[in-house]
Amino acid sequence: MKVERKEQGATRRSILQLLRRHGQMSAIELSEALEIGAVGIRQHLTALQQEGLVYICGLRRNVGRPAHLYALTERAESFFPKHYERLVCELIESVAAVGGEAAVTEILEQRRKTLFTRLAPQLANKPREAQITALTEALAEQGYMCECEQSEQGDWLLTQYNCPFDCVARRYPQICAQELRLYEELLATSIERDTTIAGGSHCCRYRIPG
């Protein structure tokens, strides 16, 4: 059973790679490229459609029966390597080379101001609990994998188990400083940060007064 699942996974990855390379293909074209029966290919395509990775993008009219064309969804992009962190590091290094650390701080401050403008309306005119919930949800949408809970003492613990730019933050701790300042501005209070992923912990944990 495990071998069968492994083979299915390998075939579906091959289908995704072919669609990434060619943009759109029919079941027959995929069948010929992978040397797998068309019936089997259609079963894999149906499974990939159910997972939200593939969709029917058109119809090719040949002699005989028209053929559906398949393409990747946006969700499928997560299966292909991205090097955003490397690009961000290189850009920050270029900024530092031209303008020094002051220039790096300036662009990170600008990012904080942009995020504040975007997030502040979501927290406006809400009680503290609703503000923290809204902030947690907004961060989760950005890939922070976070949660919040209230302690017996009344303060709130905001915990992030993933940092979307961990490698960048390890090289440029200014990012972490700007993150803390952003949360303080959004919640209009001083916040204590106990641990950070960039500092070697398994999570970033913020203590927010209740």
Side-chain angles (χ1 to χ4, degrees):
M1 183 66 72
K2 289 183 179 179
V3 173
E4 184 180 345
R5 286 179 186 155
K6 185 175 181 181
E7 290 175 352
Q8 289 179 346
T11 300
R12 289 171 192 173
R13 281 195 299 274
S14 296
I15 291 173
L16 295 177
Q17 289 167 357
L18 281 169
L19 292 176
R20 189 72 178 86
R21 183 182 296 273
H22 298 285
Q24 55 188 32
M25 297 178 73
S26 68
I28 295 298
E29 290 170 333
L30 289 165
S31 171
E32 293 172 350
L34 296 174
E35 299 181 348
I36 296 174
V39 173
I41 287 294
R42 288 192 176 91
Q43 290 175 345
H44 287 301
L45 287 169
T46 297
L48 290 169
Q49 281 182 281
Q50 292 173 345
E51 293 175 24
L53 303 176
V54 164
Y55 74 105
I56 296 174
C57 64
L59 197 65
R60 177 175 295 156
R61 298 186 180 278
N62 298 322
V63 177
R65 186 180 178 182
H68 285 125
L69 293 174
Y70 296 85
L72 299 179
T73 64
E74 290 185 10
R75 182 178 177 184
E77 291 295 328
S78 63
F79 284 80
F80 300 94
K82 308 293 182 185
H83 297 288
Y84 299 133
E85 287 190 340
R86 182 187 302 173
L87 174 61
V88 171
C89 281
E90 290 173 352
L91 289 173
I92 294 178
E93 286 170 0
S94 297
V95 169
V98 173
E101 291 298 313
V104 173
T105 299
E106 185 177 345
I107 63 169
L108 292 177
E109 285 181 346
Q110 183 56 51
R111 173 182 177 271
R112 187 195 79 245
K113 292 174 183 177
T114 300
L115 288 173
F116 179 84
T117 301
R118 185 190 308 162
L119 296 174
Q122 300 179 36
L123 278 68
N125 303 317
K126 292 181 178 178
R128 176 53 50 84
E129 180 176 356
Q131 285 184 325
I132 295 174
T133 299
L135 177 58
T136 302
E137 291 174 351
L139 293 173
E141 289 177 359
Q142 296 177 31
Y144 281 86
M145 191 180 169
C146 57
E147 62 183 24
C148 65
E149 60 179 353
Q150 191 169 24
S151 69
E152 294 180 358
Q153 290 72 33
D155 57 352
W156 291 85
L157 294 177
L158 174 63
T159 306
Q160 300 168 345
Y161 295 102
N162 180 59
C163 175
F165 37 76
D166 178 22
C167 293
V168 183
R170 291 177 190 274
R171 295 177 63 178
Y172 297 97
Q174 301 100 310
I175 293 178
C176 297
Q178 292 295 328
E179 289 283 311
L180 175 59
R181 186 173 172 186
L182 171 65
Y183 303 159
E184 289 182 329
E185 290 178 346
L186 286 169
L187 297 171
T189 187
S190 297
I191 298 174
E192 238 180 87
R193 183 166 54 203
D194 298 335
T195 61
T196 64
I197 295 173
S201 178
H202 75 288
C203 67
C204 297
R205 181 169 287 121
Y206 298 83
R207 195 176 300 275
I208 304 166

